[in-house]
mmCIF file of all heavy atoms in Angstrom:
data_model
loop_
_atom_site.group_PDB
_atom_site.id
_atom_site.type_symbol
_atom_site.label_atom_id
_atom_site.label_comp_id
_atom_site.label_asym_id
_atom_site.label_seq_id
_atom_site.Cartn_x
_atom_site.Cartn_y
_atom_site.Cartn_z
ATOM 1 N N GLY H 81 107.424 126.443 125.738
ATOM 2 C CA GLY H 81 108.281 127.617 125.871
ATOM 3 C C GLY H 81 107.752 128.584 126.906
ATOM 4 O O GLY H 81 108.452 128.986 127.826
ATOM 5 N N SER H 82 106.495 128.969 126.768
ATOM 6 C CA SER H 82 105.874 129.889 127.723
ATOM 7 C C SER H 82 105.025 129.152 128.757
ATOM 8 O O SER H 82 104.317 129.779 129.534
ATOM 9 C CB SER H 82 105.015 130.926 126.982
ATOM 10 O OG SER H 82 104.001 130.276 126.229
ATOM 11 N N GLY H 83 105.079 127.832 128.728
ATOM 12 C CA GLY H 83 104.306 127.032 129.670
ATOM 13 C C GLY H 83 103.885 125.716 129.069
ATOM 14 O O GLY H 83 104.158 125.428 127.891
ATOM 15 N N ASP H 84 103.241 124.892 129.872
ATOM 16 C CA ASP H 84 102.791 123.590 129.396
ATOM 17 C C ASP H 84 101.649 123.735 128.399
ATOM 18 O O ASP H 84 100.727 124.539 128.583
ATOM 19 C CB ASP H 84 102.315 122.741 130.576
ATOM 20 C CG ASP H 84 103.470 122.248 131.428
ATOM 21 O OD1 ASP H 84 104.616 122.323 130.951
ATOM 22 O OD2 ASP H 84 103.223 121.811 132.573
ATOM 23 N N VAL H 85 101.726 122.917 127.355
ATOM 24 C CA VAL H 85 100.673 122.881 126.323
ATOM 25 C C VAL H 85 99.998 121.509 126.388
ATOM 26 O O VAL H 85 100.670 120.495 126.209
ATOM 27 C CB VAL H 85 101.258 123.111 124.909
ATOM 28 C CG1 VAL H 85 100.161 122.992 123.857
ATOM 29 C CG2 VAL H 85 101.949 124.456 124.827
ATOM 30 N N PRO H 86 98.697 121.461 126.653
ATOM 31 C CA PRO H 86 98.014 120.159 126.717
ATOM 32 C C PRO H 86 97.742 119.593 125.332
ATOM 33 O O PRO H 86 97.237 120.305 124.454
ATOM 34 C CB PRO H 86 96.705 120.479 127.452
ATOM 35 C CG PRO H 86 96.441 121.918 127.127
ATOM 36 C CD PRO H 86 97.788 122.568 127.002
ATOM 37 N N LEU H 87 98.113 118.336 125.129
ATOM 38 C CA LEU H 87 97.777 117.644 123.881
ATOM 39 C C LEU H 87 96.565 116.746 124.063
ATOM 40 O O LEU H 87 95.742 116.628 123.154
ATOM 41 C CB LEU H 87 98.977 116.821 123.404
ATOM 42 C CG LEU H 87 100.290 117.577 123.177
ATOM 43 C CD1 LEU H 87 101.384 116.627 122.704
ATOM 44 C CD2 LEU H 87 100.092 118.712 122.176
ATOM 45 N N LEU H 88 96.495 116.087 125.217
ATOM 46 C CA LEU H 88 95.331 115.286 125.584
ATOM 47 C C LEU H 88 94.925 115.659 127.006
ATOM 48 O O LEU H 88 95.795 115.916 127.865
ATOM 49 C CB LEU H 88 95.635 113.778 125.539
ATOM 50 C CG LEU H 88 96.013 113.161 124.202
ATOM 51 C CD1 LEU H 88 96.302 111.659 124.374
ATOM 52 C CD2 LEU H 88 94.921 113.370 123.165
ATOM 53 N N SER H 89 93.625 115.679 127.276
ATOM 54 C CA SER H 89 93.120 116.048 128.595
ATOM 55 C C SER H 89 92.051 115.082 129.044
ATOM 56 O O SER H 89 91.007 114.954 128.393
ATOM 57 C CB SER H 89 92.548 117.478 128.586
ATOM 58 O OG SER H 89 93.520 118.434 128.221
ATOM 59 N N GLU H 90 92.329 114.356 130.121
ATOM 60 C CA GLU H 90 91.375 113.456 130.767
ATOM 61 C C GLU H 90 90.722 112.482 129.788
ATOM 62 O O GLU H 90 89.505 112.266 129.791
ATOM 63 C CB GLU H 90 90.286 114.271 131.481
ATOM 64 C CG GLU H 90 90.847 115.183 132.570
ATOM 65 C CD GLU H 90 89.761 115.968 133.287
ATOM 66 O OE1 GLU H 90 88.631 116.057 132.750
ATOM 67 O OE2 GLU H 90 90.038 116.502 134.359
ATOM 68 N N VAL H 91 91.544 111.891 128.932
ATOM 69 C CA VAL H 91 91.025 110.935 127.946
ATOM 70 C C VAL H 91 90.805 109.583 128.611
ATOM 71 O O VAL H 91 91.719 108.991 129.187
ATOM 72 C CB VAL H 91 92.007 110.787 126.765
ATOM 73 C CG1 VAL H 91 91.579 109.634 125.852
ATOM 74 C CG2 VAL H 91 92.083 112.098 125.982
ATOM 75 N N SER H 92 89.573 109.101 128.529
ATOM 76 C CA SER H 92 89.217 107.781 129.062
ATOM 77 C C SER H 92 88.448 107.005 127.999
ATOM 78 O O SER H 92 87.496 107.550 127.413
ATOM 79 C CB SER H 92 88.360 107.901 130.324
ATOM 80 O OG SER H 92 89.078 108.507 131.383
ATOM 81 N N LEU H 93 88.869 105.778 127.741
ATOM 82 C CA LEU H 93 88.145 104.925 126.796
ATOM 83 C C LEU H 93 88.523 103.472 127.057
ATOM 84 O O LEU H 93 89.539 103.186 127.677
ATOM 85 C CB LEU H 93 88.439 105.303 125.342
ATOM 86 C CG LEU H 93 89.889 105.325 124.836
ATOM 87 C CD1 LEU H 93 90.373 103.926 124.431
ATOM 88 C CD2 LEU H 93 90.011 106.252 123.643
ATOM 89 N N THR H 94 87.690 102.573 126.577
ATOM 90 C CA THR H 94 87.947 101.139 126.700
ATOM 91 C C THR H 94 87.711 100.456 125.363
ATOM 92 O O THR H 94 86.911 100.925 124.548
ATOM 93 C CB THR H 94 87.028 100.491 127.743
ATOM 94 O OG1 THR H 94 85.657 100.647 127.345
ATOM 95 C CG2 THR H 94 87.219 101.103 129.131
ATOM 96 N N VAL H 95 88.423 99.346 125.154
ATOM 97 C CA VAL H 95 88.251 98.510 123.966
ATOM 98 C C VAL H 95 88.206 97.077 124.442
ATOM 99 O O VAL H 95 89.119 96.601 125.127
ATOM 100 C CB VAL H 95 89.411 98.688 122.954
ATOM 101 C CG1 VAL H 95 89.131 97.860 121.697
ATOM 102 C CG2 VAL H 95 89.621 100.155 122.610
ATOM 103 N N ALA H 96 87.121 96.374 124.104
ATOM 104 C CA ALA H 96 86.960 94.976 124.522
ATOM 105 C C ALA H 96 87.592 94.043 123.479
ATOM 106 O O ALA H 96 87.916 94.444 122.354
ATOM 107 C CB ALA H 96 85.477 94.645 124.677
ATOM 108 N N GLU H 97 87.784 92.801 123.857
ATOM 109 C CA GLU H 97 88.299 91.783 122.941
ATOM 110 C C GLU H 97 87.432 91.731 121.683
ATOM 111 O O GLU H 97 86.203 91.623 121.751
ATOM 112 C CB GLU H 97 88.278 90.407 123.611
ATOM 113 C CG GLU H 97 89.116 90.295 124.870
ATOM 114 C CD GLU H 97 90.550 89.908 124.584
ATOM 115 O OE1 GLU H 97 90.857 89.670 123.401
ATOM 116 O OE2 GLU H 97 91.335 89.828 125.537
ATOM 117 N N GLY H 98 88.064 91.820 120.520
ATOM 118 C CA GLY H 98 87.350 91.688 119.262
ATOM 119 C C GLY H 98 86.507 92.883 118.858
ATOM 120 O O GLY H 98 85.888 92.872 117.797
ATOM 121 N N GLU H 99 86.486 93.938 119.666
ATOM 122 C CA GLU H 99 85.646 95.102 119.397
ATOM 123 C C GLU H 99 86.343 96.084 118.474
ATOM 124 O O GLU H 99 87.578 96.193 118.457
ATOM 125 C CB GLU H 99 85.298 95.798 120.704
ATOM 126 C CG GLU H 99 84.386 97.010 120.533
ATOM 127 C CD GLU H 99 84.101 97.737 121.842
ATOM 128 O OE1 GLU H 99 85.006 97.766 122.713
ATOM 129 O OE2 GLU H 99 83.003 98.248 122.002
ATOM 130 N N ALA H 100 85.551 96.831 117.703
ATOM 131 C CA ALA H 100 86.067 97.921 116.889
ATOM 132 C C ALA H 100 85.557 99.238 117.470
ATOM 133 O O ALA H 100 84.358 99.490 117.510
ATOM 134 C CB ALA H 100 85.617 97.775 115.435
#
Side-chain angles (χ1 to χ4, degrees):
S82 59
D84 288 344
V85 177
L87 302 181
L88 297 179
S89 299
E90 299 181 344
V91 171
S92 296
L93 56 82
T94 61
V95 184
E97 299 272 357
E99 181 182 34

